[in-house]
Amino acid sequence: MTITTTTSPAKDPVLRTAYQKSVAEYWNTNQQDPVNLRLGEVDGLYHHHYGIGDYDPSVLAGPEKTREERITQELHRLETAQADVLLDHLGDIKPGDTLMDAGSGRGGTSIMAEQRFGCRIDGVSISEYQVGFANEQAKLRGVDDRVRFHFKNMLDTGFETGSRKAIWTNETTMYVDLYELYAEFSRLLEFGGRYVCITGCSNDLTGLRSKAVSRIDEHYTCNIHPRSEYFKALAANNLTPIDVVDLTAQTIPYWELRAKSALATGIEEPFLTAYKEGSFHYLLIVADRV
Ligand code: GPP
Ligand code: MG
């Protein structure tokens, strides 16, 4: 079956600014990142987000020889659990619906969405490497008729107005201006369509960026937004929150386990410090297009 998506040319080139070019460059050249590839190899779902839930302490207690393998599998299980929680909040999705994964990385969350809903999903990324990798995964799984990844800017996708039943961002909003982003999502969502976001955000109550949050920004070339910014930008674009869940306590075990893994990248301590001192939250936000 051939399914076509109506796409008008985006208004601007995919990479508009020097900043966007540097972000694309980061994800195009950071290809051999063992923490993401080794976890993805566990079952072929390649994620670019963190995990939630308690880890099984027996992974640390078992035989030394297979310890790393057990930790890798456990970290992957927690990352997949995070994506499941995101998908749980998309609402009643039917096979005939079309969704968008904004900042789709290597495609893990989109592939899981197809498994769950059997619907059409378009992922967009400004990394041509990631788009190629993710399309390859969809092909390997035989779902490339329903799951497609595009080299597109989520601020200006060119997809048809009102064409989306739901859109999500899984840890990608720290790369863009939220007002521009939600203007585009508001255009793409049908009336009553749903937006789900999982993000790390800074805490307005503790003031401006803490040192630990600045270190996370520096590590990933991103700009973590304050919590308040999300709600202002949603409200400014006819996106009305229906659910907000603070996942901070649930993500701390993931970072504690990751800090013990040979795959640790050095960013574990800033995450643990930021979460524990209260300068940073891991938040799920669900909003309806009204
Ligand atoms: C994880 O990607 C997410 C980001 C880089 C965006 C920043 C997220 C925040 C919540 C601040 P990844 O899986 O590629 O990271 P890593 O390689 O460290 O696992
Ligand atoms: Mg990762």
Side-chain angles (χ1 to χ4, degrees):
M1 182 171 56
T2 308
I3 303 169
T4 51
T5 302
T6 311
T7 306
S8 53
K11 292 189 291 296
D12 293 302
V14 174
L15 301 175
R16 292 183 193 173
T17 62
Y19 172 70
Q20 289 171 5
K21 284 177 192 158
S22 74
V23 172
E25 169 80 5
Y26 175 91
W27 293 106
N28 284 335
T29 55
N30 196 26
Q31 299 168 16
Q32 299 312 323
D33 43 340
V35 67
N36 299 310
L37 290 174
R38 294 297 87 77
L39 268 60
E41 284 158 10
V42 169
D43 62 3
L45 282 175
Y46 290 84
H47 298 308
H48 279 283
H49 58 259
Y50 312 123
I52 52 171
D54 289 335
Y55 67 82
D56 175 354
S58 75
V59 301
L60 298 170
E64 183 70 30
K65 199 161 160 264
T66 50
R67 185 171 178 264
E68 273 309 320
E69 196 184 317
R70 286 193 305 278
I71 295 177
T72 299
Q73 286 175 1
E74 189 65 353
L75 288 171
H76 183 64
R77 184 181 71 77
L78 300 180
E79 290 188 0
T80 296
Q82 187 265 27
D84 266 324
V85 166
L86 187 156
L87 298 177
D88 285 345
H89 287 85
L90 285 176
D92 183 23
I93 306 295
K94 300 272 191 318
D97 292 329
T98 304
L99 316 182
M100 184 174 89
D101 179 354
S104 44
R106 285 187 169 104
T109 309
S110 285
I111 300 275
M112 287 172 63
E114 192 284 331
Q115 288 171 343
R116 191 188 284 218
F117 305 118
C119 66
R120 169 79 204 247
I121 299 126
D122 292 295
V124 303
S125 167
I126 59 169
S127 161
E128 288 178 272
Y129 161 77
Q130 285 188 334
V131 169
F133 187 101
N135 275 327
E136 196 55 40
Q137 295 305 311
K139 207 167 166 183
L140 282 170
R141 287 173 180 269
V143 295
D144 50 323
D145 59 335
R146 288 189 294 285
V147 187
R148 294 198 190 141
F149 298 94
H150 311 261
F151 176 51
K152 278 182 178 294
N153 191 319
M154 60 183 172
L155 300 176
D156 176 22
T157 61
F159 290 134
E160 195 185 348
T161 298
S163 62
R164 307 292 138 166
K165 176 75 180 179
I167 297 175
W168 71 84
T169 50
N170 200 350
E171 298 182 13
T172 60
T173 46
M174 54 292 294
Y175 288 101
V176 293
D177 177 277
L178 294 180
Y179 290 86
E180 281 185 67
L181 183 71
Y182 295 152
E184 176 67 348
F185 289 1
S186 192
R187 184 186 73 77
L188 291 168
L189 284 167
E190 63 181 49
F191 181 81
R194 182 155 279 191
Y195 169 56
V196 179
C197 172
I198 294 186
T199 191
C201 58
S202 63
N203 185 1
D204 304 84
L205 285 177
T206 52
L208 295 179
R209 256 184 200 83
S210 66
K211 193 160 189 77
V213 168
S214 298
R215 285 178 63 192
I216 298 169
D217 274 347
E218 169 65 23
H219 183 85
Y220 293 107
T221 325
C222 67
N223 292 283
I224 290 164
H225 303 293
R227 173 161 44 119
S228 59
E229 189 89 348
Y230 281 89
F231 299 95
K232 290 179 197 164
L234 289 169
N237 288 289
N238 293 324
L239 293 162
T240 299
I242 176 82
D243 236 332
V244 180
V245 184
D246 182 359
L247 297 172
T248 308
Q250 292 181 55
T251 194
I252 288 177
Y254 166 86
W255 286 102
E256 286 179 332
L257 182 62
R258 182 166 150 156
K260 298 183 203 299
S261 161
L263 297 173
T265 61
I267 201 61
E268 292 74 19
E269 285 314 317
F271 268 94
L272 286 166
T273 301
Y275 285 140
K276 288 180 181 178
E277 75 188 5
S279 66
F280 190 51
H281 319 283
Y282 196 48
L283 225 62
L284 173 132
I285 304 168
V286 185
D288 288 331
R289 170 72 165 89
V290 296

